[in-house]
Amino acid sequence: MIIQPRRAFLQSMAVATTSLWTTPGLFAEQLTPTSRMTEGPFYPDKLPLDTDNDLIVVNNAITPAVGEITHLSGKVLTDSGSPIRNAFVEIWQVDNQGAYLHSGTSNAANRDSNFQGYGRFLTDSTGQYYFRTIKPVAYPGRTPHIHFAVSKNGHRILTTQLLIKGDPQNEHDGLFRRISAPAERETILAAFDPIPDSKIGELNANFDLVIGQTVSDEPVSKIQGGIAPSERSTSGGQFGRPPGPPPRRSGNSQ
């Protein structure tokens, strides 16, 4: 039996997911920019051994992470619908036990060491990105969510969070309730739909990221590898992050 190399598998899935959704080439009106949300205190203070777009398997480990496997994809677009290429999309989230990849996380003793916790993807000419991760679970004080950061040429152009469309916990979430306009709320919600014929119960989620500002379409900056430092960083550290854990905040800031 021929086993498809992991990197080739991820590339093929990135292409395959485009058949599950489309973005019109022409728009009758401008798209609503994705609502900005806080970065929170748990952007990784130490990167994992693996930083690719497959959060289910770390490097070439045999044991996968626990959770509902989700194929998460979308496009990074301007508000006129044009794709933004060569933008870095970063995601980070708790594992199935509710622990972040961070030295200050709660429930650290039960953290799933097989879950990468953080990943990144460089958008292609159509603005597309793709991750294989798990469906987010609730964290104390927060509804299930995935953190997103988009960088272009070393500058952070969007920081937001993805919430599960229809999750009843959303209405009790402090950050979600700060967004009052229904149209703006829709920009941070994504449905997690079962993939037909998946024998392991995989899910698909589409989440387009619309940037409501002018973005230069220049080559990827060599500085920082094109990835902006954490918004919470104040000095040094890898990618501009401080070496120690940030101050703990209330549940509604994560």
Side-chain angles (χ1 to χ4, degrees), residues 5 50 91 101 148 157 164 190 192 224 230 241:
D50 194 354
I91 67 169
L101 183 69
F148 274 76
I157 58 176
I164 301 172
F192 285 69
Q224 310 265 10
S230 165
R241 294 191 293 275

Side-chain angles (χ1 to χ4, degrees), residues 190-203:
F192 285 69
D193 299 319
I195 295 179
D197 301 324
S198 172
K199 295 180 180 179
I200 57 175
E202 294 168 289
L203 306 172

Side-chain angles (χ1 to χ4, degrees), residues 22-215:
T22 58
T23 299
L26 296 175
F27 293 81
E29 57 186 26
Q30 285 191 317
L31 300 174
T32 301
T34 301
S35 294
R36 294 178 176 272
M37 296 185 75
T38 177
E39 180 182 284
F42 296 121
Y43 183 95
D45 52 356
K46 183 178 181 181
L47 290 177
L49 296 175
D50 194 354
T51 59
D52 69 3
N53 62 325
D54 184 7
L55 281 67
I56 301 298
V57 177
V58 178
N59 287 324
N60 292 315
I62 298 176
T63 305
V66 176
E68 294 183 84
I69 295 178
T70 298
H71 298 276
L72 172 61
S73 57
K75 291 187 176 182
V76 180
L77 306 166
T78 65
D79 56 8
S80 63
S82 299
I84 299 177
R85 62 180 180 178
N86 292 332
F88 272 104
V89 179
E90 301 173 88
I91 67 169
W92 64 100
Q93 65 185 100
V94 297
D95 61 20
N96 206 53
Q97 299 297 323
Y100 278 103
L101 183 69
H102 192 284
S103 60
T105 188
S106 62
N107 201 27
N110 295 319
R111 195 177 76 80
D112 182 359
S113 61
N114 294 308
F115 183 59
Q116 193 167 296
Y118 166 93
R120 60 177 65 155
F121 193 93
L122 184 66
T123 60
D124 64 14
S125 60
T126 67
Q128 179 189 339
Y129 72 85
Y130 165 76
F131 292 97
R132 190 171 75 134
T133 185
I134 63 172
K135 183 179 181 180
V137 300
Y139 181 87
R142 288 299 315 280
T143 191
H145 62 284
I146 298 176
H147 292 267
F148 274 76
V150 182
S151 297
K152 177 76 172 178
N153 294 316
H155 300 284
R156 181 75 68 83
I157 58 176
L158 177 66
T159 304
T160 191
Q161 298 177 26
L162 176 162
L163 277 62
I164 301 172
K165 190 177 184 68
D167 193 303
Q169 298 178 81
N170 292 344
E171 294 300 329
H172 303 287
D173 186 78
L175 292 182
F176 183 72
R177 293 172 65 181
R178 292 180 191 177
I179 304 173
S180 57
E184 293 180 4
R185 285 187 169 189
E186 285 296 320
T187 67
I188 61 167
L189 298 174
F192 285 69
D193 299 319
I195 295 179
D197 301 324
S198 172
K199 295 180 180 179
I200 57 175
E202 294 168 289
L203 306 172
N204 176 70
N206 177 62
F207 187 56
D208 288 343
L209 298 158
V210 179
I211 311 299
Q213 65 185 67
T214 302
V215 179

